[in-house]
Amino acid sequence: TIYDEDEVLLALAEQLGTFTPLVGGPEYVHCLLPPLESLATVEETVVRDKAVESLRTIAAEHSSQDLENHFVPLVKRLSQGDWFTSRTSACGLFSVVYPRVNANLKAELRLNFQKLCEDDTPMVRRAASGKLGEFAKCMELEFVKSDLVKLFNNLASDEQDSVRLLAVEGCSSIASILPDEDKLTLLMPTVRAAAQDKSWRVRYMVADKFTELQNAV
């Protein structure tokens, strides 16, 4: 039908992010989650990205309680979806919910993100790799050191160069959080390896981010 046209879905995904006043304000903003969840799973990348962008926008308009009751279950469903499209979309939502939920849900979110970083589908690992630095910035230092650095090192040595280069891109964000002694032991070996990577694209990313890495490390 006409409503399945990508241009229509794209416009819908964009406009739903501005609909909070139209559904009765922040108290009812969770009503917008089901249609955006559907749009975050479609095949067309630009529609999915716009749906995720709108979800990130309206996340801020949820109370902490509504985030825990409505938004976190959405993130879990997307991250455990059968199709890679939903799992790639999930990667962009962790950082907007993590800081505002309770400790038990934080532990579940970290586990879900870890599974996405280890996903069998390269597109999902690539999406997770691209959001690694963003997630690190809102995570507690102890878990950055115990969980996230290990994920970073694994992604930075992934078989797909598109995954490795995005891990390098997020390295400066992770480094900016760690104490100096941890940077040397936990990150520098991986950065040195990336600088000598067999893929020119990974080496290019190291060169492109060199000043940021230098300042952070």
Side-chain angles (χ1 to χ4, degrees), residues 91-105:
C91 296
L93 299 174
F94 285 84
S95 63
V96 295
V97 296
Y98 187 86
R100 297 178 55 204
V101 297
N102 65 56
N104 289 336
L105 286 178

Side-chain angles (χ1 to χ4, degrees), residues 21 24 38 47 55 78 96 117 143 156 162 168 183 197 203 217:
S38 295
V47 176
L55 282 166
L78 287 176
V96 295
C117 290
F143 298 120
S162 59
V168 169
K183 294 175 189 177
D197 196 276
R203 299 195 304 275
V217 176

Side-chain angles (χ1 to χ4, degrees), residues 15-111:
Q15 291 303 314
L16 283 169
T18 67
F19 266 32
T20 303
L22 303 180
V23 295
E27 188 180 350
Y28 300 101
V29 69
H30 60 84
C31 297
L32 297 173
L33 297 181
L36 283 169
E37 181 177 357
S38 295
L39 290 166
T41 66
V42 300
E43 192 173 345
E44 181 55 53
T45 305
V46 291
V47 176
R48 291 201 310 271
D49 289 348
K50 188 57 72 174
V52 169
E53 189 181 317
S54 289
L55 282 166
R56 288 168 65 97
T57 299
I58 67 172
E61 296 166 343
H62 282 68
S63 66
S64 294
Q65 194 62 52
D66 282 341
L67 267 185
E68 294 182 357
N69 292 340
H70 301 287
F71 207 101
V72 172
L74 174 147
V75 176
K76 289 181 185 175
R77 286 193 299 274
L78 287 176
S79 65
Q80 295 164 10
D82 291 334
W83 294 96
F84 80 89
T85 52
S86 70
R87 302 198 300 277
T88 55
S89 291
C91 296
L93 299 174
F94 285 84
S95 63
V96 295
V97 296
Y98 187 86
R100 297 178 55 204
V101 297
N102 65 56
N104 289 336
L105 286 178
K106 283 184 175 182
E108 290 181 34
L109 288 170
R110 290 195 302 273
L111 185 60

Side-chain angles (χ1 to χ4, degrees), residues 123-171:
M123 286 81 84
V124 178
R125 296 200 304 277
R126 188 160 64 228
S129 190
K131 296 299 180 183
L132 204 62
E134 180 181 278
F135 196 23
K137 285 185 172 180
C138 65
M139 192 182 289
E140 300 83 354
L141 178 60
E142 62 177 303
F143 298 120
V144 172
K145 289 166 68 171
S146 64
D147 299 353
L148 215 66
V149 167
K150 182 173 71 173
L151 296 176
F152 162 73
N153 287 327
N154 288 342
L155 290 168
S157 58
D158 193 271
E159 62 185 27
Q160 298 280 335
D161 65 350
S162 59
V163 176
R164 298 199 300 275
L165 68 89
L166 285 172
V168 169
E169 189 174 13
C171 181

